[in-house]
Amino acid sequence: MTERSASRERIPVGISACLTGEQVRYNGGHKRSRYCLEVLQERFAFEPFCPELAAGLGVPREPIRLVGRHDETPRVLGTQDPSLDVTERLEEVSQAFVDGHRHLRGFILMKGSPSCGLERVKVYHPNGMPSHSDSGAFVRALRRHFPELPLEEEARLNDAVLRENFITRVYAFDDWKRQVEAAPGFHALLQFHSRQKYLLMAHHVETYRELGRYLAAASKLPLAEAMAHYLQRFMAALGRPATRKGHTNALLHVLGYLKQDVDGEARQDLLTAIEDYRLGHVHLAVPIRLLTHYLKRHGSDYIRAQTYLDPHPYELGLRNAI
């Protein structure tokens, strides 16, 4: 089941420049990510970006931080000289970045950065005391202007579930870009939903049902409106990491396409593998591999086309750890 993934060229993904080894941090250092550069770079065509450098801050430079209260959007000020306010400059370069990078399928961010931190970035009161946490300024701009773009912090890729979830979202968004956005039409939208059906079910069954109902009447809507609504809801659902319960539900639905075509012993083997996964005794790769074996011989074109069975390159081994 790897031909679909292996045949593609590398996917364009943004990345905080310091994670690629570029010496762009405030102190002239970097935070080179071995996983990104030694594993993911075989699949992703990374496009590095440092919003602070783009905003005109030099290297080395005075550190910046988020300053504000709970009920306001924090400003981005110098830690030593509060009169250094780069809030508007960061907003401008972030907007310009989005305008020129709509082709990206995801972005990997630097943890804790006042510009690139995904979450839990410290915000300070004007008096210098810690206040609360927020996202970095660049991340807030990405969420406003490019909300469907998959985002993740490099440090969180150490978590097997979050790693698999982010890469799944990148490949799903790539599918959308190639097959729907490149040739818009209701048929393309329906075909996308058809092959993503069980992946969506595994992540959020309520959205799976909601979008099925929505598409049943979508042909009466303007195409651009239907596509925008669908993509927003689809990517939001995939942003929820799938649970064992969600995966088990999807696996059982896929198994339903084999019940009339395999003998009782094979059926029991499949049910046992799914149950072992549900109980946490084996990783997801075990029931998936067994299902795939039988689907190659007995499955319909529809069920074999499900991206749930092959959402990202098998060689990454992502489902061997969840």
Side-chain angles (χ1 to χ4, degrees), residues 259-273:
K259 283 187 176 178
Q260 306 304 318
D261 299 304
V262 296
D263 60 33
E265 183 178 354
R267 233 179 1 255
Q268 188 56 51
D269 287 344
L270 287 162
L271 283 169
T272 298

Side-chain angles (χ1 to χ4, degrees), residues 66 72 74 117-123 132-136 140:
L66 302 180
E72 61 186 12
L118 184 64
E119 56 186 35
R120 302 181 307 279
V121 180
K122 290 183 180 179
V123 182
H132 60 288
S133 297
D134 204 330
S135 301
R140 290 198 304 275

Side-chain angles (χ1 to χ4, degrees), residues 144-156:
R144 279 197 307 275
H145 305 302
F146 203 173
E148 64 271 29
L149 184 70
L151 305 175
E152 191 52 272
E153 286 181 347
E154 186 271 346
R156 284 164 44 106

Side-chain angles (χ1 to χ4, degrees), residues 3-229:
E3 291 182 7
R4 179 167 58 226
S5 299
S7 64
R8 291 179 178 171
E9 61 188 31
R10 290 191 302 158
I11 296 175
V13 172
I15 187 170
S16 294
C18 60
L19 295 173
T20 68
E22 292 188 27
Q23 295 175 314
V24 295
R25 285 175 60 78
Y26 72 94
N27 59 2
H30 63 79
K31 288 287 185 177
R32 186 182 187 277
S33 167
R34 291 184 61 187
Y35 181 70
C36 289
L37 298 184
E38 297 177 14
V39 178
L40 293 184
Q41 192 161 240
E42 292 187 8
R43 304 291 175 172
F44 295 168
F46 284 125
E47 299 189 19
F49 180 66
C50 175
E52 296 177 25
L53 203 61
L57 301 177
V59 179
R61 56 182 174 271
E62 178 181 349
I64 55 177
R65 65 183 178 186
L66 302 180
V67 178
R69 299 180 177 82
H70 282 277
D71 58 350
E72 61 186 12
T73 300
R75 300 196 67 78
V76 190
L77 309 179
T79 58
Q80 299 165 8
D81 178 11
S83 68
L84 174 63
D85 188 333
V86 295
T87 309
E88 279 72 30
R89 273 190 280 167
L90 281 173
E91 175 61 31
E92 290 170 6
V93 300
S94 298
Q95 176 68 71
F97 177 85
V98 171
D99 292 343
H101 292 80
R102 289 282 179 185
H103 62 283
L104 293 180
R105 275 57 162 169
F107 203 107
I108 299 176
L109 299 150
M110 178 61 206
K111 177 183 177 181
S113 164
S115 57
C116 292
L118 184 64
E119 56 186 35
R120 302 181 307 279
V121 180
K122 290 183 180 179
V123 182
Y124 295 85
H125 285 292
N127 64 10
M129 296 296 292
S131 172
H132 60 288
S133 297
D134 204 330
S135 301
F138 176 58
V139 172
R140 290 198 304 275
L142 287 178
R143 284 174 168 161
R144 279 197 307 275
H145 305 302
F146 203 173
E148 64 271 29
L149 184 70
L151 305 175
E152 191 52 272
E153 286 181 347
E154 186 271 346
R156 284 164 44 106
L157 295 178
N158 292 319
D159 182 297
V161 172
L162 297 179
R163 179 171 63 245
E164 196 273 342
N165 176 254
F166 172 69
I167 295 173
T168 292
R169 287 184 286 146
V170 167
Y171 274 89
F173 193 37
D174 181 63
D175 187 13
W176 174 271
K177 288 279 192 182
R178 291 173 181 269
Q179 304 300 330
V180 184
E181 190 173 299
F186 281 109
H187 178 71
L189 179 56
L190 290 171
Q191 288 297 106
F192 178 86
H193 181 70
S194 176
R195 64 180 170 272
Q196 298 285 354
K197 191 173 181 178
Y198 292 111
L199 183 64
L200 183 59
M201 175 185 285
H203 282 260
H204 199 235
V205 69
E206 290 81 3
T207 304
Y208 157 80
R209 294 173 182 145
E210 171 201 327
L211 287 178
R213 293 190 298 268
Y214 180 79
L215 289 178
S219 60
K220 301 175 185 177
L221 300 171
L223 176 59
E225 177 185 330
M227 287 177 55
H229 176 84

